[in-house]
Amino acid sequence: MQKRVTISSCRWQLAILLLLAVFLLGMGTSIFISFERGSRVTDTDYYQNGLNYAKTRSGAYNPGLDWVMSASLAGSDLQVRVHDEKGAPVAGGSLLFQTRRGNEKEVLTLAESAPGVFVARWPVSGQAELRGELLFTKGEAVASQKVVFFN
């Protein structure tokens, strides 16, 4: 007995092969585009910097990566303590609190009241929470930390 081959079984085989070909073509195209264009999420000079993000512009190690910032609200003042990995205060430098309200960028400059202690009057806001970034710079060294404050 011979098995009959019908036209409908050939159509299914062709349809499966066509779907597989379209899939492989789409994968190849997306791989090519990802290699050529990259992503909007990736830092533009990422591959030029390589693994040197821990260095300053002059090529020295960035000590700011070892600094710790702890922020607190003391009454109507924002108080931030900056210390190194051993717990010693980091004196000098400048500290900014950057936030966005809508499309506007707001910057609050904190003044150093004691070595490693920075204080500024807390900005009045009607928001339940305020998100921002603390940015501490001393020479070429930079430390940053994202924070959220709840009113």
Side-chain angles (χ1 to χ4, degrees), residues 95-100 104-110:
L95 182 66
L96 303 174
F97 174 65
Q98 301 174 343
T99 186
R100 287 194 172 271
E104 291 183 34
K105 183 178 181 181
E106 294 184 11
V107 177
L108 177 67
T109 303
L110 286 85

Side-chain angles (χ1 to χ4, degrees), residues 26-148:
M27 286 296 293
T29 303
S30 64
I31 289 172
F32 175 77
I33 289 173
S34 68
F35 276 118
E36 291 297 314
R37 293 188 192 161
S39 172
R40 287 178 279 175
V41 182
T42 306
D43 189 11
T44 54
D45 60 345
Y46 175 78
Y47 294 105
Q48 293 171 353
N49 286 335
L51 299 175
N52 298 322
Y53 275 96
K55 295 183 180 177
T56 61
R57 289 185 183 122
S58 65
Y61 176 73
N62 182 7
L65 296 175
D66 297 326
W67 296 338
V68 178
M69 291 183 278
S70 56
S72 63
L73 290 175
S76 62
D77 291 338
L78 170 62
Q79 182 177 4
V80 179
R81 295 182 182 275
V82 182
H83 55 89
D84 61 11
E85 69 275 2
K86 296 174 185 167
V90 180
S94 65
L95 182 66
L96 303 174
F97 174 65
Q98 301 174 343
T99 186
R100 287 194 172 271
R101 289 190 190 175
N103 290 335
E104 291 183 34
K105 183 178 181 181
E106 294 184 11
V107 177
L108 177 67
T109 303
L110 286 85
E112 189 169 15
S113 62
V117 179
F118 295 83
V119 179
R121 180 117 357 241
W122 180 246
V124 178
S125 87
Q127 299 174 335
E129 68 179 42
L130 187 60
R131 296 175 183 263
E133 183 176 10
L134 293 169
L135 183 65
F136 180 73
T137 56
K138 182 177 179 183
E140 284 190 330
V142 177
S144 65
Q145 180 176 340
K146 293 187 183 211
V147 292
V148 178

